[in-house]
């Protein structure tokens, strides 16, 4: 869908500039710029997403883009967050295995239902050459990993997982496997495969 027409919802990224004095920013323009950036990243990768190309596709001036984002990296990070749906909340059923299966299945569904699968390869490619993009990608993945870490810490506190297990490293293994499947197969692992993944990782960490 073309971004030039705009949408009614406001942009939600925390990376855009705060509005200055004068006329309030138009949320339709905010949304059109982010939609254009997501489309360009999805279609042509980071090379296609310039400030000028975003302005052209959104049907706005370059000044409108720069008023909201200081540079292309800021806009790219904002587009990446706009492409991804809200992270799932960590469940708390009292059983770490059940919590992990529910959480990772939901995370896989959210990633598949958003534009993340199309935008993530462009971000990964750019991260190899650009430290700022790499930092933006790290912030995004850390944010998606936090609910899993929360579930694992609860499991450690309940004695289901060994106290010497690093929850951050274990979360990397679990969430990383979900994202790996999305990138290489362009498909979510599904609940049955998520359950196998959780059982495999828990087998090495169980108390």
């Amino acid at each position: 869908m073309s971004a030039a027409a705009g949408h009614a919802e406001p942009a939600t990224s925390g990376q855009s500039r705060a509005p200055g004095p004068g006329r309030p920013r138009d949320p339709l323009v905010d949304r059109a710029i982010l939609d254009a950036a997501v489309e360009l990243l999805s279609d042509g990768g980071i090379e296609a997403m310039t400030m000028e190309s975003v302005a052209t596709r959104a049907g706005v001036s370059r000044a409108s883009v720069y008023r909201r984002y200081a540079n292309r990296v800021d806009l790219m990070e904002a587009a990446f967050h706009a492409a991804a749906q809200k992270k799932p909340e960590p469940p708390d059923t009292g059983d770490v295995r059940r919590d992990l299966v529910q959480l990772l299945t939901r995370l896989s569904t959210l990633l598949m239902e958003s534009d993340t699968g199309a935008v993530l390869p462009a971000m990964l490619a750019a991260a190899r050459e650009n430290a700022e993009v790499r930092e933006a990608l790290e912030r995004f993945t850390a944010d998606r990993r936090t609910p899993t870490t929360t579930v694992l810490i609860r499991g450690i506190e309940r004695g289901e997982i060994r106290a010497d297990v690093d929850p951050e490293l274990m979360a990397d293994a679990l969430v990383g496997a979900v994202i790996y499947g999305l990138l290489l197969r362009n498909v979510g692992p599904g609940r049955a495969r998520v359950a196998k993944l959780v059982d495999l990782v828990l087998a090495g960490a169980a108390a």
Side-chain angles (χ1 to χ4, degrees):
M1 182 178 66
S2 172
H7 297 275
E9 19 174 288
T12 57
S13 170
Q15 297 302 312
S16 61
R17 293 177 170 181
R23 190 175 62 180
R25 282 196 341 213
D26 185 346
L28 295 178
V29 175
D30 291 348
R31 188 72 253 173
I33 289 172
L34 285 176
D35 284 350
V38 169
E39 290 173 6
L40 287 164
L41 279 173
S42 302
D43 295 343
I46 185 175
E47 295 83 4
M49 201 215 80
T50 65
M51 302 294 266
E52 184 171 356
S53 64
V54 168
T56 299
R57 180 165 294 203
V60 302
S61 67
R62 281 200 301 173
S64 294
V65 179
Y66 278 107
R67 238 189 323 267
R68 289 159 174 81
Y69 303 98
N71 52 56
R72 189 169 68 148
V73 173
D74 283 353
L75 176 54
M76 190 184 310
E77 183 177 1
F80 196 39
H81 281 275
Q85 294 190 14
K86 184 179 178 182
K87 67 182 179 183
E89 292 299 318
D92 189 6
T93 66
D95 179 85
V96 70
R97 180 186 183 276
R98 188 179 300 119
D99 288 347
L100 287 172
V101 171
Q102 287 184 14
L103 177 62
L104 293 174
T105 301
R106 182 60 179 149
L107 175 62
S108 173
T109 300
L110 287 175
L111 292 174
M112 286 298 299
E113 289 177 351
S114 69
D115 291 318
T116 308
V119 174
L120 188 55
M123 290 289 288
L124 288 171
R128 290 186 300 178
E129 306 294 335
N130 190 308
E132 290 180 309
V133 176
R134 188 159 56 249
E135 290 172 6
L137 186 59
E138 287 171 358
R139 285 192 295 271
F140 174 84
T141 54
D143 189 52
R144 291 304 180 276
R145 191 179 62 235
T146 299
T148 306
T149 305
T150 299
V151 167
L152 293 172
I153 291 173
R154 289 173 184 163
I156 293 172
E157 292 171 347
R158 290 194 299 260
E160 298 172 277
I161 298 174
R162 295 197 320 271
D164 64 334
V165 169
D166 182 349
E168 294 285 347
L169 183 60
M170 191 170 174
D172 279 345
L174 291 165
V175 176
V178 171
I179 294 176
Y180 177 87
L182 176 67
L183 284 175
L184 269 68
R185 299 185 181 89
N186 196 31
V187 65
R191 188 177 181 87
R193 192 170 181 85
V194 165
K196 290 180 180 180
L197 168 65
V198 169
D199 287 340
L200 180 65
V201 175
L202 281 179

